[in-house]
Structure formats: structure tokens, C-alpha cells
Amino acid sequence: MADRAQPVARTLATGGVPAALLLALTLGTLAFVAVRADGFSALGPADWVAVRFTLWQAFLSALLSSLLAIPVARALARRRFPGRGLLIALLGAPFILPVIVAVMGLLAVFGRAGLLNDGLALLGIPPVSIYGLGGVVLAHVFLNLPLAIRLLLQSWLAIPAERFRLAASLGMGPQEVSRFLERPMLRAALPGIFLAIFLVCLTSFAVALTLGGGPRATTVELAIYQAFRFDFDLGRAALLAVIQATLSLTAAIIALRVTVPAAFGAGLDRPIERWDATGGLLKLQDTTAILLAAAFLVMPLAAIVLRGLPALATLPGPVWQAAARSLTVALASMSLTIALALPLAIATARARSGLARGLDSLAMLPLATSPLVLGTGLFLVLRPVADPVALALPVTALANATLALPFALRILLPAAHAAEADFGRLADSLGMSGFARLRLMTLPRLARPLRYSAALAAALSMGDLGVIALFSDPDHATLPLQLYRLMGAYRMSDAAGAAVLLLLLSFTLFWVLDRGGRPDARA
Amino acid sequence: MLVLEALRIEQTDFHLSADLTVDTGDRVAVIGPSGAGKSTLLAAIAGFVHPASGRILWEGRDISGLPPGERPVSILFQDQNLFPHLSVSQNVGLGVRPDLRLSAPDRDRVDQALAQTGLEGLGDRLPGTLSGGQQSRVALARALLRDRPVLLLDEPFAALGPALKAEMLDLVATLSSRKRMTVLMVTHDPADARRFAPRTIVVAEGRAHPPADTGAILDTPPPALAAYLGK
């Protein structure tokens, strides 16, 4: 019937352009990389070591993050104390914390001249080194433990309060509650959390760049960078990119089957009434878990802020220029993310049947690629037609937008579906279509998630140290790259100052976009 | 004249056929057991459900292929009749132009419609700050401005108390007869039907029967309706 074909045509018209662009950016760049790659015989033993290291560090990071999250999430789920809401909100921060700032903070606590080694020296114990496998895993746990705690807390709070009431009325103690309520939940939730973190750590670049390196602690992403920057061996870089993409894709497919949970959720500050955890020993255990986790997460950041704040005023000019560049890139990347995500979300929400699912999974494609794979592909695409180095900043914005897209869509899609389900018929019955429908129905209904996803995209781009490292020359550095260079030159005071600046800019950008100028008194 | 000509609606585990005529300006109740297809019948007339076969005609013109917004029809749903983020005036203004680019005379018409429905001075409020009865009036004011000859009521007043519901039905009756609108109203309540609609369509056992005199039908209901009414 003609009138049934209409929505399909509309879906294609709305979602077609961004979908095509997305395909070109992900599968298109991958195809370019695959064509240009050396044969597999070009792989040396060092490359296989990199593959093994990549998998091993991701496995360890995911395992430790998931396991350590259990006592902390349990404690947060069953205790109320002043500052609980603040702590939970703080657990959301590492998601937009620039990785390089986190590394600086960890160095301040665990590094050669850090607090830990100062303490060990007092006791006469020789210093420990943060570089290598230990440091990489430490940084990954620092960055992902909060995510794991939040996801697990979400699952904990999803156990209906009535179950705990029932357990209490049956006289169950902590042992039984754990056996009948908590362990089944953990069995269901942990695999997804493990895989989500494993996937993130698989494409880790900035951490490996700063804390890894050397033949024994190189990830595939880092190997791509080295083949690119040091040897300028594009064939080898492309081959490594194919390997990285294969790893990510395999993990992503496994993750899809286990349904990885969404990383964000509201309403986590609601404690449940519990009757089973009143024992003194349990209280002590929970208090210890919360204090240790809070100290582990807060100390590095506090250390970097204390060191960096005094240096802020005397930061050299290039740092400020880099900051301006980073802001521009972040805002461009944010606009692009929204320009791609909004039409895709609307088209998916309106589409019926299989087409919707197609668009939906298409948007998850960036999860199967990685910054350096994307960067290598874009470099190979651009090189015959333009100077990739001159285009470093636009390319960085484009790559960042692509990689932020899955997050933006996860935030926008539920709201788009709800808007269509609640008000689609009303808009249809009034004959609202095209731009009027967008302006009067869709945008107002999506205002909140739109701001949130824009804030996330901007902050992620602001702190990104990935694609830019491949392309950039000293005249086009972004703030994270400038910070990395200062660290490499052992200008630690300037580096700490730049880290504080980056931290302030990222969080301010996020806060302003997400909350600022919010006329939200209206429904 | 609204004609449903050999209309057949098919969904999984559900079918409904209708072959009937409603005279212009009539007020008709649509009554029958839950799940029989009363709402589906209205959704088909409004353009949200595509019939498997048959035609829908208004004053001799086939409207079956038109999108919902272009049909000579206004519909009030059970809920979600207003956009919560738009003011009362804006919600009503959508009845004049669905892109809300209103001229000064347009805005005067909005104010008039608000006055006719007893909503003077509430134009700048958001729907969430109004009572249930006032929200119904806003939707009704918009339907007045859309000025479509057919008004479909899919139990929009179901959540109101009995007195308020009676008041709203009287208001609809007054306004629709002034504009000579044809009204189809889904209801569960025989008292509503008697109060509001001289004619009644019984929907039961997969069939929408032609309209008949409301009093007669409710006094001596056909077997399918009798079971539902508990007679």
C-alpha cells in the first residue's frame, strides 16, 4: 500500500545520510586499511607479544575492576551515610576524565617520586615502579572501577525492595540474602560488566603510551602508533590495524550476545531499606570498602590538583594555544556527534520492523573500531588527496565524533522512542510533519538527553589523546598532546598545571552543556 | 455522511468488519465489550490503522488513503492529548496551524476558542498545572479550531469524575451541534450514551453494527451487548 511505504521513505530520508557517513567512516576506513595492509607474514614475534599483552592486560583490568567493585557496590547499596550521593555522583566522573590527567594523578601517588614510594622509603623498602603491566592495569582499574561500581550498584538497586522485605520476614540473615538474592544477580550482571571493561581496555592507547611501552608492555594500538610515527611503515601500521579491528570486532560480537549494560543511569542515590546487614562486622567491612575505594579514586586527583594549581598562572603560551585548539575540536566534534545521532535516533524511533533494528546496530559499529584504526584509515584515505598533517584537527574532530556516536545514541534512543510512542499519534492527527514536528515535538521532548549527549561528546573529545597523536606536528597540538609532550620533557610542574587546566576545561564544558542555562522548569 | 463500506480490519488474533453509514451532524455512541475493537474502529477512521479491505468515505469522497493529519477528522485520545512542554495557547494554536506560525487574527481565534471552553486567562499556563477537566477542555478547544467535520472521542473523559464527565459531554454536545459536527464517541457507560448520543453503534463479536436508536438498543440489547451490560 502506498501509505505504508511513506514511513519507510521518510526513515531513509532522515537516517540515510548519517547512516551512509557512518558506514564510510567505520567499514570504509577499515576496507582502506585492509587493502593497504602488508601480508600476515610481515608480522614479527614482537607483534605477537603485543597481541598477547593487549589481551592479557585487558583481561586483568576487567577482572580486577569487576571483582573489586563487588564489595564497594554492596556497601553502597545497603548503607546510608552523609556524602553518599556525592560519592556516587563522583563515580560518574572518570568516564569524562581525560586519561592523561588520570595518569598524571597516578604518577603523583604511585610514581617514582610519588606518595607511595615516599612512604616505602621511610620504612626502608625499595621503591616500586609503576611502568609496565602493573601500571597499565592500575590505570585501567582506576578508570574503570567506578564504572563497574555504578553498573553493579544499578543491578543491586534493581532487586525489588519487596524481595528484601520478604527475606526479612522469613528471617533470612546476610548469608541467605546473599545466596538467594545477591548471587543470582551477580551471576547475571558480572559477565556484561567484565566484557564492557574488557572492550574498553582492548583499545587502550593513552595509558599504554604513558605507562607501557618497551617490548614487554606494548598494546596493539601503541604498536600501530610506533609503526606510524617512528618507522613511518604504513603497510605494517595497516596490518596491525587489521589485527586490532579483528580483536575489537570479536569482543564486540561476544559482548552483544551477553548484552553489555548501558554505562549510565539515574536514580542511583536511592538506598534500599535492609534488615539483614545490621551486624558490626558487616558494618566494618562496608566502611572499609567504601573508604578504600574513595581514597583510591580521590587521592590521585587531589594530588594532581594540589601540584598543578600553583603552576596554572605561569603556564607557557603554547599550552593556552593548545587549550584553545582543544576547545574548538571538542565543540566541532560535539556538533558532528549530534548532527549524526539525532537523525539516526529519530529515524530509528519512527521506523517500523527490521529497518529500525538495522539502523540501531549500525550505530554500534564504532564500538568495533578504535581510535588508532580509524586514524590510520583516515590517513590512508586522505594522503593521496591532501596533507593529512594539515588536516590533523578536523580529522581528530571527525574521529572523536564517530567514537562518541554509540554513547550519544544510547542516550537519545530511549527518549526518541518515548516521544514517538507518547506523542507520535497526536502529532500525526494534527498533521505536524517535517521541521514543525522537529521543532514543536521532537526537540522539546529530547532536550534533556540531547544536552547530556552533547556534553558527553564534547568532554570525551576534549580529553582525547588518540588520533591526534598520529597526525599532529608541534604546531597543531591539542591540550592532551601538549601535556604528553611536557611529561616527556620532564617539565613536571608545567605538566601538572596543564593537567589541572585540562581537568577544569573538561568538567566545565560538560557541566555547562549538561546543566547550564537550563530553563527546565517546563515539563 | 460518513460511510464505512465493506470495511475489514485484520490484526493478529483480531478482526473487525463494518458496513454502515453515519448521517452528517449525528452524535453516535460506540459501545461494546472491551477488546471488541471500539478504539480500533476509531483509529481506522482517523488513519492510524490500515484496513485490509473496504473504503471509508466522507461526503462521497474516499479518504482511506489520506494520512491522519489530512483527514476531515479530529480525534481526542484517552490520554496524551496535549504536549506537556507547550503552553495552553500553543497547544490550542496547533489546531490552526501545525507549525504554530500564527498571525494576529489566528491568535484571536485561539483566544475565542479558549473563551468558548471556559479557559479564559489560562493561555500561558502549561498543561501540567491544570486540572484534568481543564486539560480536556484544552483538547476540545483545539478540536474546535481545527474545524474538521468529524470528531472522534476515544474515551478522553474516562479519567474524570462523573459530574465533570457529564459537564464535558454537555459542552461537547453544545459546541458540536453549533458547528454541526458529526461525533463518534467510544464509551463503557450506558448512561453516557443515553445522555449524549441519540444513536449507538454496537461493536461486538468482530462486527460494528449500523447505528440504531440509543434508547431502544439499551432497553432491549442484542445478546452480545446484553452479556456485557449484565442484563
Side-chain angles (χ1 to χ4, degrees), chain A residues 154-444:
Chain A
Q154 213 165 18
S155 304
W156 230 294
L157 297 182
I159 302 177
E162 291 79 6
R163 300 276 162 76
F164 287 108
R165 207 173 57 194
L166 179 62
S169 77
L170 294 174
M172 289 187 182
Q175 300 282 325
E176 290 79 18
V177 165
S178 161
R179 186 172 145 211
F180 291 112
L181 294 179
E182 297 178 332
R183 251 178 264 164
M185 178 279 289
L186 286 174
R187 258 201 302 279
L190 279 176
I193 295 173
F194 174 89
L195 272 170
I197 297 172
F198 184 79
L199 207 56
V200 171
C201 296
L202 214 50
T203 59
S204 171
F205 169 70
V207 166
L209 177 70
T210 45
L211 295 175
R216 290 167 56 86
T218 297
T219 60
V220 179
E221 287 277 277
L222 185 56
I224 299 174
Y225 170 77
Q226 287 165 348
F228 217 109
R229 283 305 274 204
F230 302 157
D231 311 329
F232 203 69
D233 186 344
L234 288 179
R236 225 175 92 76
L239 174 60
L240 288 163
V242 169
I243 291 175
Q244 174 67 49
T246 313
L247 291 180
S248 309
L249 196 64
T250 314
I253 288 170
I254 297 172
L256 273 183
R257 294 179 155 243
V258 187
T259 34
V260 174
F264 358 79
L268 291 182
D269 44 3
R270 168 183 65 93
I272 347 173
E273 184 92 29
R274 291 282 293 265
W275 293 270
D276 59 296
T278 45
L281 202 62
L282 283 179
K283 272 186 188 159
L284 184 68
Q285 181 192 323
D286 286 352
T287 313
T288 315
I290 290 172
L291 285 180
L292 279 179
F296 176 54
L297 296 173
V298 169
M299 268 174 59
L301 289 182
I304 199 69
V305 169
L306 287 180
R307 281 192 194 184
L309 267 183
L312 208 50
T314 56
L315 279 178
V319 172
W320 293 105
Q321 285 154 19
R325 262 181 236 121
S326 273
L327 267 179
T328 317
V329 169
L331 291 176
S333 166
M334 172 205 79
S335 315
L336 205 56
T337 306
I338 297 302
L340 288 171
L342 183 62
L344 275 177
I346 294 173
T348 310
R350 286 227 214 138
R352 290 157 199 183
S353 70
L355 198 65
R357 290 183 61 86
L359 282 174
D360 207 1
S361 44
L362 190 69
M364 295 300 138
L365 268 179
L367 287 180
T369 184
S370 78
L372 275 276
V373 174
L374 193 55
T376 310
L378 288 172
F379 190 94
L380 293 172
V381 172
L382 286 175
R383 206 158 77 109
V385 290
D387 174 15
V389 173
L391 293 174
L393 296 181
V395 166
T396 301
L398 188 65
N400 287 343
T402 310
L403 295 167
L405 195 59
F407 299 111
L409 264 171
R410 281 221 179 163
I411 298 166
L412 287 178
L413 263 179
H417 276 298
E420 202 54 45
D422 291 347
F423 300 104
R425 273 192 170 195
L426 176 57
D428 282 344
S429 77
L430 294 171
M432 294 165 73
S433 60
F435 190 63
R437 189 187 179 104
L438 183 71
R439 180 169 54 91
L440 295 171
M441 180 187 106
T442 314
L443 288 184

Side-chain angles (χ1 to χ4, degrees), chain A residues 425 428-429 439-440 444-445, chain B residues 48 69 81-82 84-85 99 146:
Chain A
R425 273 192 170 195
D428 282 344
S429 77
R439 180 169 54 91
L440 295 171
R445 296 320 301 168
Chain B
F48 294 111
N81 281 305
L82 304 175
H85 53 274
D99 62 1
R146 289 197 83 218

Side-chain angles (χ1 to χ4, degrees), chain A residues 23-63:
Chain A
L23 270 178
L25 279 169
T26 50
L27 297 185
T29 50
L30 257 182
F32 246 83
V33 165
V35 168
R36 187 63 178 75
D38 287 347
F40 275 86
S41 54
L43 286 181
D47 299 315
W48 290 114
V49 172
V51 170
R52 263 202 304 278
F53 179 77
T54 305
L55 291 171
W56 180 232
Q57 60 82 18
F59 173 80
L60 281 181
S61 306
L63 188 72

